[in-house]
Amino acid sequence: MGGKLCNIVDGTKPVIVMVAVQLVFGGVNILYKLAINDGMNTRVLVAYRFIFATAFISPLAFILERKSSPRLTWMIALQGFLCGLFGGALGQNLYLESLALTSPTFSAAMVNLIPAVTFIFAISLGLEKLAIRTWAGKAKVGGTLLGIGGAMVLTFYKGPQINIWSTKVHLLNKDQHVAASHRMMDNHVLGSLLDVASCFSYAIWLIIQAKMGERYPYQYSSTALMCAAATVQAIVYATCMEGNWSTWKLGWNIRLLTVAYTGFLASGFMVTLITWCIRKRGPLFVSIFNPLMLVFVAILGSLILDEKLHLGSIIGGVLIVIGLYAMLWAKGVEMKSMARLSHSKSSKEAEIINVGTASAEDDDVSAAATNPR
């Protein structure tokens, strides 16, 4: 009985960890919006996030992987630079600019487009097979189309306002919030395009990261290399675009909380937990929990930011999530099929080896019978 209970507890650990990870990532969106509303420059915010992340992950990589002595080559350095660009500085700057023009819930919904965009890139580069005649192939195509359709609904259809609940906790500055609301209405399409661009950037990062992992299978060191490259890129970009050094000042306020939370907790500690979950249950298990962030952001945004939900946002978000799970189901079917194929191939090879061994033994017995010595 005690053994079964321990197995159940051990089996629920990855689930609890991934729910906590998505809750933390939901908090990132809320804090981003609060820092932007406080007047913090988005480019400076991105630079500080990766400064804090590098300060956290670099000692961790040194402690955990110093004995493995990872060898850094020019190709790995280039891949690390590109990962820092597309998965770090560029992706985060595009995402924050879109968040400033839209809302946390909207941006969280658009993030679920990344698997669909990654699938399109993988098909174009020959890294993924379409297999349109199979149910898995049809599900992947259908999921991609649903995701794109949901993004279009989010962008071009607002619909009536839906009031689920209302609280008196409004952390956004009222005057700036009103001005931002008018700006959001004027630049909603621009914010949507920036969100889609950030999804493309992260999809490119995933493909490069997969290639880098084949040459450099050191998860902590590769993350530290990516964060260090993103730090340099983000600082250079922020310095070139923002000449006023007063924007870099941090006090004991929401700005310091945001950069510490996103750097240490989100980009540092949560990455370690995600890596642990991937090792325990695989990447498919981790991907299944992505839509939870949308739910958390929608709840937190409506509770503490007075964010209003609209019918278009709900319909678009649901379409994107359905499309995501269709693609995850298809990928799961393909992985099981590949596992069965690999197992049957191994069984056939083992059977051939056994038959060959048995034949050799029979030959030896026959030879011994004809040669009594």
Side-chain angles (χ1 to χ4, degrees):
M1 182 67 181
K4 290 182 179 180
L5 183 61
C6 289
N7 290 334
I8 293 173
V9 172
D10 188 62
T12 57
K13 282 181 182 178
V15 176
I16 296 171
V17 166
M18 283 311 304
V19 171
V21 166
Q22 296 304 323
L23 181 59
V24 169
F25 284 164
V28 168
N29 281 30
I30 301 299
L31 286 174
Y32 268 167
K33 194 67 177 180
L34 290 172
I36 293 170
N37 182 255
D38 190 59
M40 189 173 188
N41 185 278
T42 56
R43 306 175 189 95
V44 173
L45 176 52
V46 172
Y48 269 124
R49 172 172 181 168
F50 287 108
I51 290 172
F52 278 67
T54 304
F56 177 87
I57 200 67
S58 296
L60 193 64
F62 176 77
I63 294 170
L64 297 177
E65 294 178 343
R66 69 183 186 278
K67 293 182 179 179
S68 58
S69 300
R71 189 170 62 90
L72 190 64
T73 64
W74 285 107
M75 178 55 69
I76 295 170
L78 175 61
Q79 289 175 332
F81 176 86
L82 293 176
C83 285
L85 177 64
F86 291 107
L90 179 61
Q92 279 294 310
N93 272 293
L94 288 171
Y95 183 76
L96 268 173
E97 289 292 338
S98 68
L99 182 62
L101 296 173
T102 56
S103 68
T105 303
F106 181 93
S107 298
M110 294 292 272
V111 164
N112 290 307
L113 270 180
I114 293 176
V117 177
T118 306
F119 174 67
I120 294 172
F121 273 128
I123 288 292
S124 303
L125 296 173
L127 301 175
E128 187 89 18
K129 292 182 180 180
L130 187 59
I132 191 64
R133 294 183 179 179
T134 65
W135 282 108
K138 292 175 182 177
K140 286 193 289 187
V141 173
T144 303
L145 294 176
L146 277 173
I148 295 172
M152 293 182 68
V153 171
L154 273 170
T155 303
F156 299 109
Y157 176 67
K158 194 170 185 179
Q161 182 175 307
I162 298 175
N163 295 315
I164 302 176
W165 50 62
S166 179
T167 64
K168 296 182 179 180
V169 182
H170 302 153
L171 298 182
L172 293 178
N173 182 283
K174 289 186 177 180
D175 295 333
Q176 294 186 16
H177 182 47
V178 171
S181 299
H182 290 297
R183 190 168 62 250
M184 280 169 50
M185 292 175 64
D186 296 335
N187 299 320
H188 184 75
V189 175
L190 176 60
S192 304
L193 294 176
L194 290 173
D195 246 326
V196 172
S198 71
C199 290
F200 273 83
S201 181
Y202 284 120
I204 295 172
W205 164 60
L206 288 173
I207 292 173
I208 298 173
Q209 184 69 47
K211 290 293 184 182
M212 183 180 176
E214 296 174 0
R215 293 173 175 264
Y216 196 68
Y218 305 101
Q219 54 199 21
Y220 297 103
S221 297
S222 62
T223 303
L225 181 62
M226 171 188 165
C227 289
T231 299
V232 175
Q233 295 160 3
I235 289 175
V236 171
Y237 178 65
T239 304
C240 293
M241 297 300 293
E242 185 59 51
N244 186 5
W245 288 100
S246 63
T247 58
W248 290 80
K249 292 181 180 179
L250 293 176
W252 294 99
N253 51 25
I254 190 63
R255 302 185 185 191
L256 179 61
L257 175 62
T258 300
V259 297
Y261 182 96
T262 57
F264 289 146
L265 193 58
S267 292
F269 187 56
M270 290 301 114
V271 170
T272 307
L273 292 180
I274 290 172
T275 304
W276 177 80
C277 283
I278 290 174
R279 189 170 65 251
K280 283 284 187 180
R281 295 290 184 88
L284 186 65
F285 174 84
V286 173
S287 300
I288 289 173
F289 289 85
N290 284 346
L292 273 182
M293 184 180 72
L294 172 59
V295 177
F296 289 144
V297 171
I299 295 173
L300 290 173
S302 60
L303 286 176
I304 65 178
L305 300 183
D306 194 29
E307 183 180 341
K308 304 301 182 183
L309 292 177
H310 293 83
L311 181 61
S313 300
I314 295 176
I315 294 174
V318 169
L319 287 176
I320 291 175
V321 171
I322 292 174
L324 172 65
Y325 278 112
M327 295 184 68
L328 291 174
W329 174 84
K331 197 63 181 174
V333 170
E334 285 187 350
M335 290 174 67
K336 289 180 181 177
S337 178
M338 291 173 63
R340 284 196 298 267
L341 184 63
S342 177
H343 182 266
S344 62
K345 186 177 179 181
S346 300
S347 300
K348 286 180 180 179
E349 290 177 354
E351 185 178 347
I352 292 171
I353 292 171
N354 290 333
V355 169
T357 305
S359 299
E361 289 176 353
D362 290 342
D363 292 340
D364 292 340
V365 171
S366 299
T370 56
N371 188 2
R373 287 185 303 172

